[in-house]
C-alpha cells in the first residue's frame, strides 16, 4: 500500500542555518504531496503542496519539489528562524476515489536555537 | 481558517467508559475525517464521512464508531475506552471541490486512565 517515510528527528539547527527534511513515498498512481507543520500545542497547518511531478510548492521561505523519479518531496529552507521550531509532517493524498485520504509520515521535530 | 472546532479540547476518563468527541464545521464541506496522532506513528485515519449518514472506516477503526446526522457535525465515539486510545484526536475537512487539501481542527487530547 501507499506509505510515506521521513527522516527521524529531532533536527537541531542554529538560526540562519540551511534546513533539509527528507521525505520519500511509495504510491501507485500520481498522488498529491503535502507538508504540514504543527506548532506546539496546536493543530496541523498546511505549509505547502504539489500535485504533479516537477511541481514546486513554496510558502514562508520553505520549498519542496515533487520528484517522481526518486519518489521524494524533500522540504528545504535557506535560513531558519527560531519561530520555525515545530513538528513537520510529510503526507500524500491517497487518490483512490474521491475520498482523498491522507497518509502521513511519522513527523520530524525541528528545534532552532538562537 | 477553515472554521473547524473540536470539543472537548481536553478530556480525562477511565477505562470502560464511553466517550464522544465532536467536530463542528461552519462551511458546509462534504468530506470530514477523524485522525489520531501518536508518537512514532504520525497521524492515522480512524473514520471518514463523505456526506450525511455516509461514513467509512479508515486504517485504525477498531474500537471507534462515528455518526454524521447533519453536515456540520461529525461525532467520534469510543464505546468503551481503553488505555490504548489515549491520544490526540484531530478532525479535518476537505477543502473546495476539485482539491484534495485537508484542513485540521485544533485537536482533542484524550487520556484514558
Amino acid at each position: 500500500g501507499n506509505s510515506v517515510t521521513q527522516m527521524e528527528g529531532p533536527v537541531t539547527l542554529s538560526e540562519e542555518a540551511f534546513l533539509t527534511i527528507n521525505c520519500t513515498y511509495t504510491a501507485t498512481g500520481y498522488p498529491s504531496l503535502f507538508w504540514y507543520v504543527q506548532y506546539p500545542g496546536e493543530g496541523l497547518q498546511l505549509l505547502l503542496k504539489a500535485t504533479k511531478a516537477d511541481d514546486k510548492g513554496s510558502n514562508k521561505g520553505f520549498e519542496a519539489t515533487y520528484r517522481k523519479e526518486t519518489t521524494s518531496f524533500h522540504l528545504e529552507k535557506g535560513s531558519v528562524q527560531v519561530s520555525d521550531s515545530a513538528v513537520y509532517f510529510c503526507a500524500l493524498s491517497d487518490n483512490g476515489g474521491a475520498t482523498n485520504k491522507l497518509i502521513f509520515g511519522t513527523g520530524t521535530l525541528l528545534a532552532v536555537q538562537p | 481558517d477553515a472554521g473547524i472546532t473540536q470539543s472537548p479540547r481536553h478530556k480525562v476518563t477511565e477505562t470502560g467508559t464511553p466517550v464522544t468527541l465532536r467536530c463542528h464545521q461552519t462551511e458546509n464541506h462534504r468530506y470530514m475525517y477523524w485522525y489520531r496522532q501518536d508518537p512514532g506513528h504520525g497521524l492515522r485515519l480512524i473514520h471518514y464521512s463523505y456526506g450525511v449518514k455516509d461514513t467509512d472506516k479508515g486504517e485504525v477503526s477498531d474500537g471507534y464508531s462515528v455518526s454524521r446526522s447533519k453536515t456540520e457535525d461529525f461525532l467520534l465515539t469510543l464505546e468503551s475506552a481503553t488505555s490504548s486510545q489515549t491520544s490526540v484526536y484531530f478532525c479535518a475537512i476537505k477543502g473546495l471541490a476539485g482539491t484534495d487539501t485537508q484542513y485540521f481542527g485544533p485537536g482533542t487530547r484524550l487520556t484514558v486512565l
Side-chain angles (χ1 to χ4, degrees):
Chain A
N2 296 348
S3 65
V4 174
T5 302
Q6 60 182 107
M7 64 189 288
E8 293 193 16
V11 174
T12 303
L13 296 173
S14 297
E15 206 164 24
E16 300 184 2
F18 184 86
L19 168 70
T20 300
I21 301 178
N22 290 338
C23 172
T24 58
Y25 67 91
T26 301
T28 54
Y30 302 92
S32 295
L33 300 174
F34 304 84
W35 278 101
Y36 283 86
V37 59
Q38 183 179 34
Y39 298 102
E42 298 184 8
L44 277 72
Q45 301 176 24
L46 177 66
L47 182 59
L48 54 84
K49 65 179 283 189
T51 58
K52 61 184 186 297
D54 300 324
D55 264 5
K56 177 185 283 189
S58 61
N59 187 26
K60 300 181 181 180
F62 291 89
E63 294 183 339
T65 301
Y66 190 142
R67 302 285 190 200
K68 190 161 180 62
E69 63 276 11
T70 55
T71 62
S72 65
F73 192 55
H74 304 321
L75 182 68
E76 296 182 336
K77 186 176 186 184
S79 177
V80 294
Q81 305 300 312
V82 172
S83 57
D84 294 326
S85 299
V87 180
Y88 293 82
F89 291 95
C90 184
L92 67 81
S93 176
D94 185 344
N95 279 338
T99 53
N100 293 127
K101 293 171 277 188
L102 289 181
I103 296 172
F104 286 86
T106 54
T108 302
L109 174 63
L110 170 66
V112 180
Q113 299 176 337
Chain B
D1 185 358
I4 306 169
T5 58
Q6 294 185 230
S7 58
R9 294 292 314 279
H10 302 271
K11 186 170 182 65
V12 179
T13 192
E14 294 191 349
T15 298
T17 60
V19 177
T20 295
L21 309 182
R22 179 180 183 239
C23 178
H24 179 78
Q25 56 131 335
T26 60
E27 299 184 2
N28 207 35
H29 293 284
R30 179 182 174 192
Y31 292 91
M32 300 182 74
Y33 309 81
W34 277 108
Y35 293 86
R36 60 178 288 173
Q37 181 182 17
D38 303 289
H41 292 278
L43 277 77
R44 293 177 292 175
L45 182 66
I46 305 171
H47 282 280
Y48 63 96
S49 171
Y50 46 97
V52 173
K53 298 192 190 310
D54 292 323
T55 65
D56 206 348
K57 296 179 180 180
E59 178 188 0
V60 290
S61 60
D62 287 348
Y64 302 95
S65 62
V66 290
S67 65
R68 192 166 177 203
S69 59
K70 41 186 181 175
T71 300
E72 58 266 35
D73 288 326
F74 190 32
L75 303 181
L76 177 71
T77 296
L78 291 66
E79 300 289 348
S80 178
T82 67
S83 58
S84 64
Q85 294 176 311
T86 293
S87 187
V88 182
Y89 292 86
F90 288 100
C91 175
I93 57 94
K94 188 160 79 81
L96 297 172
T99 75
D100 50 9
T101 301
Q102 292 183 22
Y103 299 91
F104 287 79
T108 295
R109 181 173 295 276
L110 176 67
T111 302
V112 183
L113 301 176

